[in-house]
Amino acid sequence: MLCFGSASFSFELLPNDVQIAIKYPNDVFVKKQELEGKISGSLLETEYLGQTLSTIIVGIGININSGGSSILVQSPVISVIDILGHESNLHQITKRFIDIFSDLISNDQQIVLDQWKTALNLIGKEILLINTNKSCIVKSIRSDGLLICMHSDEEILVHLGDSIRYPLF
């Protein structure tokens, strides 16, 4: 079960034998036996007026009742229906998700950031930077979400989740 914030959404929806991993920065992957793929992701858009943050738009997608094979994307995709073998009640899932999300965003920002860093489980791990084909070790994660990595004696800041690869499970 994935615990993030003071609640666990894992999703109470998925069996305990399902492995869950967050791929930097915001995709959720699951694995159950031979089934593996992206089950969820989020997008954030911000708008500034000068130096002042005026708007944050958050979009969150969770594959519930659409079979993974019906969705065409770069990463392997999986859906709750693929794991459970039956459809789920979207109204109940939506209500539960909103309750958990509301609880999460009411937490102190540093607490949420620390939980995200822990859930990523990237510190000390080797990642591949796709655009340069360099391997580096993640040393830390800054408060703005950038990864601080080391390649030989060179410090590299990584900020594009799609530009890195690493084993999730």
Side-chain angles (χ1 to χ4, degrees):
M1 189 171 295
L2 173 68
C3 294
F4 193 74
S6 59
S8 59
F9 183 62
S10 119
F11 292 85
E12 300 148 2
L13 175 63
L14 299 176
N16 288 334
D17 63 340
V18 174
Q19 294 176 278
I20 299 172
I22 298 177
K23 180 189 177 289
Y24 176 82
N26 58 1
D27 291 333
V28 179
F29 282 74
V30 296
K31 180 178 182 179
K32 180 180 180 184
Q33 297 163 353
E34 74 283 349
L35 296 173
E36 182 178 335
K38 180 177 170 180
I39 198 164
S40 179
S42 63
L43 293 172
L44 278 86
E45 201 171 300
T46 56
E47 197 172 282
Y48 286 84
L49 295 173
Q51 297 292 324
T52 306
L53 176 64
S54 63
T55 308
I56 299 175
I57 301 169
V58 179
I60 300 169
I62 305 171
N63 302 326
I64 305 289
N65 289 332
S66 59
S69 60
S70 67
I71 302 171
L72 298 174
V73 293
Q74 234 174 348
S75 299
V77 176
I78 196 167
S79 179
V80 173
I81 196 171
D82 297 324
I83 295 170
L84 298 180
H86 60 79
E87 288 193 358
S88 298
N89 183 312
L90 294 178
H91 178 73
Q92 289 176 346
I93 292 170
T94 302
K95 182 181 179 333
R96 181 68 179 129
F97 179 81
I98 290 170
D99 290 345
I100 291 168
F101 187 76
S102 297
D103 184 47
L104 180 66
I105 63 174
S106 69
N107 280 331
D108 176 81
Q109 179 180 344
Q110 189 60 49
I111 292 171
V112 175
L113 182 62
D114 290 344
Q115 290 172 336
W116 174 70
K117 288 178 182 182
T118 300
L120 278 174
N121 193 28
L122 267 179
I123 307 298
K125 297 216 172 148
E126 183 176 4
I127 63 172
L128 175 67
L129 306 174
I130 299 300
N131 55 342
T132 62
N133 205 33
K134 290 182 182 177
S135 290
C136 61
I137 303 296
V138 178
K139 292 298 179 188
S140 66
I141 303 173
R142 295 184 353 180
S143 61
D144 61 3
L146 295 179
L147 301 180
I148 300 172
C149 302
M150 294 300 293
H151 173 75
S152 300
D153 291 332
E154 175 189 14
E155 184 175 280
I156 300 171
L157 293 179
V158 176
H159 57 85
L160 299 172
D162 290 337
S163 67
I164 67 173
R165 298 286 182 262
Y166 58 94
L168 292 170
F169 301 103

